[in-house]
Amino acid sequence: MFDFTFYNPTRIHFGKDRMSALAKEIPADARVMILYGGGSVVRTGVLDQVKTILQGRHLSEFGGIEPNPTYETLSKAVEKVKADGTDYLLAVGGGSVIDGTKYIAAAALMEDDGWCILENRGRNIQRALPIGVVLTLAATGSEMNNGGVVTRAATHDKIGFSSLHCFPRFAVLDPTKTMTLPPRQIGNGVVDAFVHVMEQYLTYPVDAKVQDRFAEGLLLTLIEDGPRALATPDNYDVRANLMWTASLALNGLIGAGVPQDWATHMIGHEITALYGLDHAQTLAIVLPALLDIRREQKAAKLLQYAERVWGIHDGSEQEKITAAIAKTRAFFESLQVKTRLRDYGIDESAVPAILAQLERHGMTKLGEKREITLDISEQIVRGCC
Ligand code: NZQ
Ligand code: ZN
């Protein structure tokens, strides 16, 4: 196992009826801005519930943060935060609203234009406004980590950042709030969490027994309860298990002390930036292709995955690996998330554009050993078609 430092300061309030924690978590004299997305929290009543709990506080609102939040929209929020003298941000929504709020929290305290945060991947963030979260979509883990992804629509740049200053102070995780999700977002959420686990697990063995078994437990839970959430949308226990799994998938715990391979996410971000696919759709396309192209380098872990996660014990090593990759693809498809670029109307002519984006963003040495050069990315992207 590698050396590591593990740090996660986010307090979690998990369960039904935990919204009242907002009143205790947010200081009584704070000037709070509530941030939300395209209106789901208005329709579902979550926004009203939040405002009722915070009645009598100094509140303002900023709505309209879109999926794959844009610099263009977030810049307007930064202006409003500065104009209002806001000193506490409350994100109410999914990963996009939370990521956008992290960006706003840091950009609002900077003299320079906030885009420099993305240019520096967050390394230049020295402080940020405090952030609280009410989560409505189990997927990204953003509610319990310090990262975010922001898109500059004008230039098709979708770039990640992270900073110790961007951990939410607290997050309310009420699984009932995810029951209004449409099937597409349920499937997306399960795929995103699954791929987060895979990118911290499916590399090469370093004898990290707990991280491996923890990761396998999360994968097995997603395999068991992902389809159930689609089939029985009102099942509380299913939603609760998925919600906690998604948070644990990317809160630092399973990634501590192990090699990581974020190539699927990096290639996926370029596909979203160019063609507007949902984040999880891109992951469902890229991961099976990547595992196939990297089957030799990842053989030991692929075999472990085949046996421990999918119960594949028969056949040659290559047959087991092939079967595990096929099971992975079939799992995504069973969640109604398609796994080929052509399923989204994109053909081979897109390959050069995706590669040019990777090159422009310096994504030329990806993977757990930084061995995924542009040539190998090209093979992977061709395998996505
Ligand atoms: O915008 P509204 O109207 O709220 O609707 C949203 C949106 O259309 C809707 N929704 C959310 N909660 C709902 C709901 N609809 C009904 N009922 C509810 N309870 O769902 C749609 C998608 O929301 P979004 O927040 O975009 O989804 P997600 O949570 O999947 O976030 C995706 C973003 O997170 C980034 C992605 O790149 C993408 O930009 N990621 C962030 C990460 C992080 N910070 O650690 C890691 C991830 O890998 C990911 O890259
Ligand atoms: Zn993701």
Side-chain angles (χ1 to χ4, degrees), residues 248-295:
L248 292 171
L250 197 50
N251 73 347
L253 199 56
I254 61 167
V258 298
Q260 304 189 11
D261 170 12
W262 290 93
T264 298
H265 265 72
M266 295 308 114
I267 298 171
H269 285 171
E270 303 302 1
I271 297 172
T272 296
L274 286 175
Y275 304 106
L277 269 62
D278 291 351
H279 173 60
Q281 292 171 339
T282 69
L283 306 177
I285 294 168
V286 177
L287 184 74
L290 178 138
L291 294 179
D292 194 30
I293 299 287
R294 303 302 284 167
R295 59 195 295 148

Short mmCIF file of all heavy atoms in Angstrom, two decimals, residues 248-295:
data_model
loop_
_atom_site.label_atom_id
_atom_site.label_comp_id
_atom_site.label_asym_id
_atom_site.label_seq_id
_atom_site.Cartn_x
_atom_site.Cartn_y
_atom_site.Cartn_z
N LEU A 248 -19.64 7.36 -0.42
CA LEU A 248 -18.41 6.64 -0.05
C LEU A 248 -17.54 6.33 -1.26
O LEU A 248 -16.33 6.12 -1.13
CB LEU A 248 -18.78 5.34 0.67
CG LEU A 248 -19.42 5.52 2.04
CD1 LEU A 248 -19.95 4.20 2.57
CD2 LEU A 248 -18.42 6.10 3.03
N ALA A 249 -18.15 6.31 -2.43
CA ALA A 249 -17.39 6.00 -3.64
C ALA A 249 -16.37 7.07 -3.97
O ALA A 249 -15.38 6.80 -4.66
CB ALA A 249 -18.35 5.80 -4.82
N LEU A 250 -16.62 8.30 -3.51
CA LEU A 250 -15.68 9.37 -3.88
C LEU A 250 -15.49 10.37 -2.74
O LEU A 250 -15.51 11.58 -2.95
CB LEU A 250 -16.15 10.06 -5.17
CG LEU A 250 -15.11 10.91 -5.92
CD1 LEU A 250 -13.80 10.16 -6.13
CD2 LEU A 250 -15.64 11.39 -7.26
N ASN A 251 -15.30 9.85 -1.54
CA ASN A 251 -15.00 10.75 -0.42
C ASN A 251 -13.56 10.57 0.07
O ASN A 251 -13.21 11.04 1.14
CB ASN A 251 -16.00 10.54 0.73
CG ASN A 251 -15.75 9.24 1.48
OD1 ASN A 251 -15.01 8.39 1.02
ND2 ASN A 251 -16.37 9.10 2.63
N GLY A 252 -12.76 9.89 -0.72
CA GLY A 252 -11.35 9.75 -0.39
C GLY A 252 -10.98 8.42 0.24
O GLY A 252 -9.83 8.00 0.20
N LEU A 253 -11.98 7.75 0.83
CA LEU A 253 -11.70 6.56 1.62
C LEU A 253 -11.12 5.42 0.80
O LEU A 253 -10.05 4.88 1.11
CB LEU A 253 -13.00 6.11 2.31
CG LEU A 253 -12.88 5.19 3.50
CD1 LEU A 253 -12.00 5.80 4.58
CD2 LEU A 253 -14.27 4.90 4.06
N ILE A 254 -11.80 5.03 -0.29
CA ILE A 254 -11.31 3.86 -1.04
C ILE A 254 -10.11 4.20 -1.91
O ILE A 254 -9.41 3.31 -2.39
CB ILE A 254 -12.41 3.20 -1.91
CG1 ILE A 254 -12.95 4.17 -2.96
CG2 ILE A 254 -13.52 2.65 -1.05
CD1 ILE A 254 -13.81 3.49 -4.03
N GLY A 255 -9.87 5.50 -2.11
CA GLY A 255 -8.75 5.90 -2.95
C GLY A 255 -7.46 6.10 -2.17
O GLY A 255 -6.40 6.29 -2.76
N ALA A 256 -7.55 6.05 -0.83
CA ALA A 256 -6.37 6.29 0.00
C ALA A 256 -5.38 5.14 -0.15
O ALA A 256 -5.74 3.97 0.01
CB ALA A 256 -6.79 6.44 1.46
N GLY A 257 -4.15 5.47 -0.48
CA GLY A 257 -3.10 4.45 -0.48
C GLY A 257 -3.11 3.51 -1.66
O GLY A 257 -2.41 2.49 -1.64
N VAL A 258 -3.91 3.80 -2.69
CA VAL A 258 -3.93 2.91 -3.86
C VAL A 258 -3.71 3.71 -5.14
O VAL A 258 -3.99 4.90 -5.19
CB VAL A 258 -5.28 2.14 -3.96
CG1 VAL A 258 -5.49 1.26 -2.75
CG2 VAL A 258 -6.46 3.10 -4.16
N PRO A 259 -3.22 3.03 -6.20
CA PRO A 259 -3.10 3.73 -7.49
C PRO A 259 -4.49 4.04 -8.05
O PRO A 259 -5.45 3.33 -7.74
CB PRO A 259 -2.38 2.71 -8.38
CG PRO A 259 -2.46 1.39 -7.69
CD PRO A 259 -2.76 1.63 -6.25
N GLN A 260 -4.57 5.09 -8.85
CA GLN A 260 -5.86 5.49 -9.42
C GLN A 260 -5.72 5.74 -10.91
O GLN A 260 -4.67 6.15 -11.37
CB GLN A 260 -6.38 6.76 -8.72
CG GLN A 260 -6.48 6.59 -7.21
CD GLN A 260 -7.18 7.75 -6.51
OE1 GLN A 260 -7.79 8.61 -7.15
NE2 GLN A 260 -7.09 7.76 -5.19
N ASP A 261 -6.80 5.51 -11.62
CA ASP A 261 -6.81 5.69 -13.08
C ASP A 261 -8.05 6.48 -13.48
O ASP A 261 -9.12 5.91 -13.62
CB ASP A 261 -6.83 4.32 -13.77
CG ASP A 261 -7.08 4.46 -15.27
OD1 ASP A 261 -7.00 5.60 -15.78
OD2 ASP A 261 -7.35 3.43 -15.92
N TRP A 262 -7.88 7.79 -13.67
CA TRP A 262 -9.04 8.63 -13.99
C TRP A 262 -9.20 8.87 -15.49
O TRP A 262 -9.87 9.81 -15.91
CB TRP A 262 -8.96 9.94 -13.20
CG TRP A 262 -9.19 9.67 -11.76
CD1 TRP A 262 -8.25 9.42 -10.79
CD2 TRP A 262 -10.46 9.48 -11.11
NE1 TRP A 262 -8.85 9.11 -9.60
CE2 TRP A 262 -10.21 9.14 -9.76
CE3 TRP A 262 -11.79 9.57 -11.54
CZ2 TRP A 262 -11.23 8.89 -8.84
CZ3 TRP A 262 -12.80 9.32 -10.62
CH2 TRP A 262 -12.52 9.00 -9.30
N ALA A 263 -8.60 7.99 -16.30
CA ALA A 263 -8.66 8.20 -17.76
C ALA A 263 -10.09 8.19 -18.28
O ALA A 263 -10.44 8.96 -19.18
CB ALA A 263 -7.83 7.13 -18.46
N THR A 264 -10.93 7.30 -17.73
CA THR A 264 -12.32 7.24 -18.21
C THR A 264 -12.99 8.60 -18.01
O THR A 264 -13.67 9.12 -18.91
CB THR A 264 -13.11 6.14 -17.48
OG1 THR A 264 -12.48 4.88 -17.77
CG2 THR A 264 -14.56 6.11 -17.89
N HIS A 265 -12.80 9.20 -16.85
CA HIS A 265 -13.40 10.52 -16.60
C HIS A 265 -12.83 11.59 -17.52
O HIS A 265 -13.57 12.43 -18.02
CB HIS A 265 -13.23 10.93 -15.14
CG HIS A 265 -14.42 10.56 -14.31
ND1 HIS A 265 -14.71 9.27 -13.97
CD2 HIS A 265 -15.43 11.32 -13.78
CE1 HIS A 265 -15.83 9.25 -13.26
NE2 HIS A 265 -16.29 10.49 -13.13
N MET A 266 -11.52 11.56 -17.72
CA MET A 266 -10.90 12.62 -18.54
C MET A 266 -11.39 12.54 -19.99
O MET A 266 -11.69 13.56 -20.61
CB MET A 266 -9.37 12.52 -18.47
CG MET A 266 -8.80 12.78 -17.09
SD MET A 266 -9.38 14.33 -16.36
CE MET A 266 -10.34 13.76 -14.99
N ILE A 267 -11.46 11.32 -20.53
CA ILE A 267 -11.96 11.17 -21.90
C ILE A 267 -13.46 11.52 -21.94
O ILE A 267 -13.94 12.21 -22.84
CB ILE A 267 -11.69 9.74 -22.42
CG1 ILE A 267 -10.18 9.47 -22.46
CG2 ILE A 267 -12.31 9.54 -23.81
CD1 ILE A 267 -9.79 8.01 -22.74
N GLY A 268 -14.18 11.07 -20.92
CA GLY A 268 -15.61 11.36 -20.84
C GLY A 268 -15.91 12.86 -20.80
O GLY A 268 -16.84 13.34 -21.46
N HIS A 269 -15.11 13.60 -20.04
CA HIS A 269 -15.34 15.05 -19.96
C HIS A 269 -15.23 15.69 -21.34
O HIS A 269 -15.99 16.61 -21.66
CB HIS A 269 -14.32 15.70 -19.01
CG HIS A 269 -14.62 15.44 -17.57
ND1 HIS A 269 -13.74 15.77 -16.55
CD2 HIS A 269 -15.69 14.88 -16.95
CE1 HIS A 269 -14.28 15.43 -15.38
NE2 HIS A 269 -15.44 14.88 -15.61
N GLU A 270 -14.30 15.21 -22.15
CA GLU A 270 -14.15 15.80 -23.50
C GLU A 270 -15.38 15.49 -24.36
O GLU A 270 -15.80 16.32 -25.17
CB GLU A 270 -12.88 15.28 -24.18
CG GLU A 270 -11.58 15.54 -23.41
CD GLU A 270 -11.31 17.01 -23.11
OE1 GLU A 270 -12.12 17.88 -23.46
OE2 GLU A 270 -10.27 17.28 -22.48
N ILE A 271 -15.93 14.30 -24.18
CA ILE A 271 -17.13 13.93 -24.97
C ILE A 271 -18.31 14.82 -24.56
O ILE A 271 -19.05 15.32 -25.41
CB ILE A 271 -17.45 12.43 -24.80
CG1 ILE A 271 -16.29 11.58 -25.35
CG2 ILE A 271 -18.75 12.07 -25.51
CD1 ILE A 271 -16.39 10.08 -25.06
N THR A 272 -18.45 15.05 -23.26
CA THR A 272 -19.52 15.97 -22.82
C THR A 272 -19.28 17.38 -23.34
O THR A 272 -20.20 18.04 -23.84
CB THR A 272 -19.61 15.99 -21.28
OG1 THR A 272 -19.99 14.69 -20.82
CG2 THR A 272 -20.66 16.99 -20.80
N ALA A 273 -18.04 17.83 -23.25
CA ALA A 273 -17.74 19.22 -23.67
C ALA A 273 -18.05 19.42 -25.15
O ALA A 273 -18.52 20.49 -25.55
CB ALA A 273 -16.27 19.54 -23.38
N LEU A 274 -17.81 18.39 -25.96
CA LEU A 274 -18.03 18.54 -27.41
C LEU A 274 -19.47 18.25 -27.83
O LEU A 274 -20.02 18.93 -28.69
CB LEU A 274 -17.12 17.58 -28.18
CG LEU A 274 -15.64 17.94 -28.25
CD1 LEU A 274 -14.87 16.82 -28.95
CD2 LEU A 274 -15.43 19.25 -29.01
N TYR A 275 -20.07 17.21 -27.22
CA TYR A 275 -21.35 16.72 -27.75
C TYR A 275 -22.50 16.80 -26.76
O TYR A 275 -23.62 16.43 -27.10
CB TYR A 275 -21.19 15.27 -28.26
CG TYR A 275 -20.08 15.17 -29.28
CD1 TYR A 275 -18.86 14.58 -28.97
CD2 TYR A 275 -20.24 15.72 -30.56
CE1 TYR A 275 -17.82 14.53 -29.89
CE2 TYR A 275 -19.22 15.67 -31.49
CZ TYR A 275 -18.01 15.08 -31.15
OH TYR A 275 -17.00 15.04 -32.06
N GLY A 276 -22.21 17.23 -25.53
CA GLY A 276 -23.29 17.47 -24.57
C GLY A 276 -23.90 16.23 -23.95
O GLY A 276 -24.96 16.31 -23.33
N LEU A 277 -23.26 15.07 -24.10
CA LEU A 277 -23.81 13.87 -23.45
C LEU A 277 -23.79 14.05 -21.93
O LEU A 277 -22.93 14.75 -21.40
CB LEU A 277 -22.98 12.63 -23.81
CG LEU A 277 -23.43 11.83 -25.04
CD1 LEU A 277 -23.35 12.70 -26.29
CD2 LEU A 277 -22.53 10.61 -25.22
N ASP A 278 -24.72 13.36 -21.25
CA ASP A 278 -24.69 13.37 -19.78
C ASP A 278 -23.36 12.79 -19.31
O ASP A 278 -22.80 11.88 -19.94
CB ASP A 278 -25.81 12.48 -19.20
CG ASP A 278 -27.20 13.04 -19.46
OD1 ASP A 278 -27.31 14.19 -19.92
OD2 ASP A 278 -28.17 12.31 -19.19
N HIS A 279 -22.89 13.27 -18.16
CA HIS A 279 -21.61 12.79 -17.60
C HIS A 279 -21.57 11.26 -17.55
O HIS A 279 -20.62 10.63 -18.03
CB HIS A 279 -21.42 13.39 -16.21
CG HIS A 279 -20.26 12.87 -15.47
ND1 HIS A 279 -18.96 12.98 -15.94
CD2 HIS A 279 -20.17 12.19 -14.29
CE1 HIS A 279 -18.15 12.41 -15.08
NE2 HIS A 279 -18.85 11.91 -14.08
N ALA A 280 -22.60 10.65 -16.98
CA ALA A 280 -22.56 9.18 -16.79
C ALA A 280 -22.66 8.44 -18.12
O ALA A 280 -22.12 7.34 -18.26
CB ALA A 280 -23.70 8.75 -15.87
N GLN A 281 -23.33 9.02 -19.09
CA GLN A 281 -23.38 8.37 -20.41
C GLN A 281 -21.98 8.22 -20.98
O GLN A 281 -21.62 7.17 -21.52
CB GLN A 281 -24.26 9.19 -21.36
CG GLN A 281 -25.74 9.19 -20.97
CD GLN A 281 -26.58 10.17 -21.79
OE1 GLN A 281 -26.08 11.13 -22.38
NE2 GLN A 281 -27.89 9.94 -21.80
N THR A 282 -21.17 9.24 -20.82
CA THR A 282 -19.80 9.16 -21.36
C THR A 282 -19.00 8.08 -20.65
O THR A 282 -18.21 7.38 -21.27
CB THR A 282 -19.05 10.51 -21.24
OG1 THR A 282 -18.77 10.79 -19.86
CG2 THR A 282 -19.84 11.66 -21.84
N LEU A 283 -19.24 7.93 -19.35
CA LEU A 283 -18.48 6.93 -18.58
C LEU A 283 -18.89 5.53 -18.99
O LEU A 283 -18.05 4.62 -19.10
CB LEU A 283 -18.73 7.12 -17.08
CG LEU A 283 -18.48 8.51 -16.50
CD1 LEU A 283 -18.83 8.54 -15.02
CD2 LEU A 283 -17.03 8.95 -16.71
N ALA A 284 -20.20 5.34 -19.23
CA ALA A 284 -20.70 4.02 -19.65
C ALA A 284 -20.13 3.63 -21.01
O ALA A 284 -19.96 2.45 -21.31
CB ALA A 284 -22.22 4.03 -19.68
N ILE A 285 -19.82 4.62 -21.81
CA ILE A 285 -19.23 4.37 -23.13
C ILE A 285 -17.74 4.04 -22.99
O ILE A 285 -17.23 3.09 -23.58
CB ILE A 285 -19.39 5.61 -24.05
CG1 ILE A 285 -20.86 5.87 -24.36
CG2 ILE A 285 -18.57 5.45 -25.33
CD1 ILE A 285 -21.11 7.24 -25.01
N VAL A 286 -17.03 4.85 -22.19
CA VAL A 286 -15.56 4.77 -22.19
C VAL A 286 -15.04 3.59 -21.36
O VAL A 286 -14.09 2.91 -21.77
CB VAL A 286 -14.93 6.10 -21.70
CG1 VAL A 286 -13.41 5.98 -21.64
CG2 VAL A 286 -15.34 7.27 -22.60
N LEU A 287 -15.63 3.35 -20.18
CA LEU A 287 -15.02 2.35 -19.29
C LEU A 287 -14.88 0.95 -19.93
O LEU A 287 -13.78 0.37 -19.89
CB LEU A 287 -15.77 2.25 -17.96
CG LEU A 287 -15.10 1.28 -16.97
CD1 LEU A 287 -13.82 1.88 -16.38
CD2 LEU A 287 -16.04 0.86 -15.85
N PRO A 288 -15.94 0.39 -20.53
CA PRO A 288 -15.76 -0.95 -21.12
C PRO A 288 -14.68 -0.96 -22.20
O PRO A 288 -13.88 -1.91 -22.29
CB PRO A 288 -17.14 -1.27 -21.71
CG PRO A 288 -18.10 -0.41 -20.95
CD PRO A 288 -17.34 0.85 -20.65
N ALA A 289 -14.62 0.09 -23.00
CA ALA A 289 -13.60 0.15 -24.06
C ALA A 289 -12.21 0.25 -23.45
O ALA A 289 -11.26 -0.43 -23.89
CB ALA A 289 -13.87 1.36 -24.98
N LEU A 290 -12.07 1.06 -22.41
CA LEU A 290 -10.76 1.21 -21.75
C LEU A 290 -10.30 -0.10 -21.11
O LEU A 290 -9.14 -0.50 -21.26
CB LEU A 290 -10.83 2.33 -20.71
CG LEU A 290 -9.54 2.57 -19.92
CD1 LEU A 290 -9.28 4.06 -19.77
CD2 LEU A 290 -9.58 1.91 -18.55
N LEU A 291 -11.20 -0.77 -20.43
CA LEU A 291 -10.82 -2.04 -19.78
C LEU A 291 -10.36 -3.05 -20.83
O LEU A 291 -9.42 -3.83 -20.58
CB LEU A 291 -12.00 -2.61 -18.97
CG LEU A 291 -12.45 -1.79 -17.75
CD1 LEU A 291 -13.64 -2.46 -17.08
CD2 LEU A 291 -11.30 -1.60 -16.76
N ASP A 292 -11.01 -3.04 -21.97
CA ASP A 292 -10.64 -3.99 -23.02
C ASP A 292 -9.25 -3.67 -23.58
O ASP A 292 -8.38 -4.54 -23.68
CB ASP A 292 -11.70 -3.95 -24.13
CG ASP A 292 -11.55 -5.13 -25.07
OD1 ASP A 292 -11.10 -6.20 -24.61
OD2 ASP A 292 -11.86 -4.99 -26.26
N ILE A 293 -9.01 -2.40 -23.86
CA ILE A 293 -7.70 -2.01 -24.43
C ILE A 293 -6.58 -2.21 -23.40
O ILE A 293 -5.46 -2.55 -23.76
CB ILE A 293 -7.74 -0.51 -24.87
CG1 ILE A 293 -8.80 -0.30 -25.96
CG2 ILE A 293 -6.37 -0.03 -25.33
CD1 ILE A 293 -8.48 -0.84 -27.32
N ARG A 294 -6.87 -2.02 -22.12
CA ARG A 294 -5.84 -2.13 -21.07
C ARG A 294 -5.90 -3.48 -20.34
O ARG A 294 -5.41 -3.59 -19.21
CB ARG A 294 -6.01 -0.98 -20.06
CG ARG A 294 -5.95 0.40 -20.68
CD ARG A 294 -4.67 0.67 -21.43
NE ARG A 294 -3.54 0.95 -20.55
CZ ARG A 294 -2.27 0.97 -20.95
NH1 ARG A 294 -1.97 0.70 -22.21
NH2 ARG A 294 -1.30 1.22 -20.09
N ARG A 295 -6.45 -4.49 -20.96
CA ARG A 295 -6.65 -5.77 -20.27
C ARG A 295 -5.35 -6.43 -19.83
O ARG A 295 -5.32 -7.10 -18.80
CB ARG A 295 -7.50 -6.72 -21.12
CG ARG A 295 -6.92 -7.03 -22.47
CD ARG A 295 -7.98 -7.66 -23.37
NE ARG A 295 -8.41 -8.96 -22.87
CZ ARG A 295 -9.66 -9.45 -23.03
NH1 ARG A 295 -10.58 -8.75 -23.63
NH2 ARG A 295 -9.95 -10.63 -22.58
#
